[in-house]
Amino acid sequence: MTDKEFKRLKRSDLIYIIYEYQKKQEELLRENSELREKLSEKEHKIENAGSLAEIAAKLSGLFEAAQQTADDYMSQLEFAASAEARKKADAIIKEAEEKAQKIIEEAKMNAPAQKNDE
């Protein structure tokens, strides 16, 4: 509208136009505020995405270290178990050899007695 057209409008029409412009301005301000909030949320997500990637990388390293520790522990357990099994096997063999030696000695002691009886 031109200045002349505005000058010809009634007061009530001018008030209505001002009212409509104010409503439109409030709507635009509200939309602007919503868009700023969405932008802020997106920026926050972008910042956190970097942080999350760093955390994921650190956790990956932590899990690798934990896995290595668990593997080392299992190796130690296996070694200890095999050493324990070897000790038990050696003890069983020693006990069997001692029993065998006693049987041989008893047999030798009884053998001359049997020869004398013949």
Side-chain angles (χ1 to χ4, degrees):
M1 269 190 168
T2 64
D3 287 345
K4 287 183 183 180
E5 291 173 332
F6 272 117
K7 289 180 182 178
R8 291 187 186 154
L9 289 174
K10 296 181 196 175
R11 182 180 171 125
S12 62
D13 290 337
L14 288 172
I15 291 174
Y16 178 75
I17 290 172
I18 291 171
Y19 173 73
E20 290 297 319
Y21 273 114
Q22 282 180 333
K23 279 182 19 181
K24 185 68 174 174
Q25 182 184 9
E26 288 174 3
E27 181 184 326
L28 290 172
L29 287 172
R30 186 174 43 254
E31 183 181 349
N32 187 338
S33 175
E34 290 173 3
L35 290 173
R36 285 181 187 272
E37 187 175 323
K38 286 181 181 178
L39 177 62
S40 176
E41 289 174 7
K42 299 259 184 202
E43 288 173 344
H44 183 70
K45 285 181 181 178
I46 289 171
E47 289 172 6
N48 284 342
S51 298
L52 290 175
E54 291 171 11
I55 290 171
K58 289 178 182 177
L59 283 177
S60 176
L62 179 66
F63 288 137
E64 288 174 6
Q67 183 63 49
Q68 184 61 44
T69 301
D71 291 344
D72 291 345
Y73 179 71
M74 291 303 294
S75 295
Q76 289 175 355
L77 285 178
E78 289 171 0
F79 178 76
S82 65
E84 185 67 27
R86 270 186 257 125
K87 285 180 185 178
K88 286 182 181 180
D90 290 343
I92 291 170
I93 291 171
K94 184 177 179 181
E95 185 181 337
E97 287 174 347
E98 289 173 357
K99 285 182 181 179
Q101 188 63 35
K102 285 181 183 178
I103 292 171
I104 292 170
E105 288 175 7
E106 287 176 7
K108 285 182 180 177
M109 293 176 99
N110 289 336
Q114 287 178 356
K115 286 185 183 180
N116 290 339
D117 290 339
E118 292 176 5

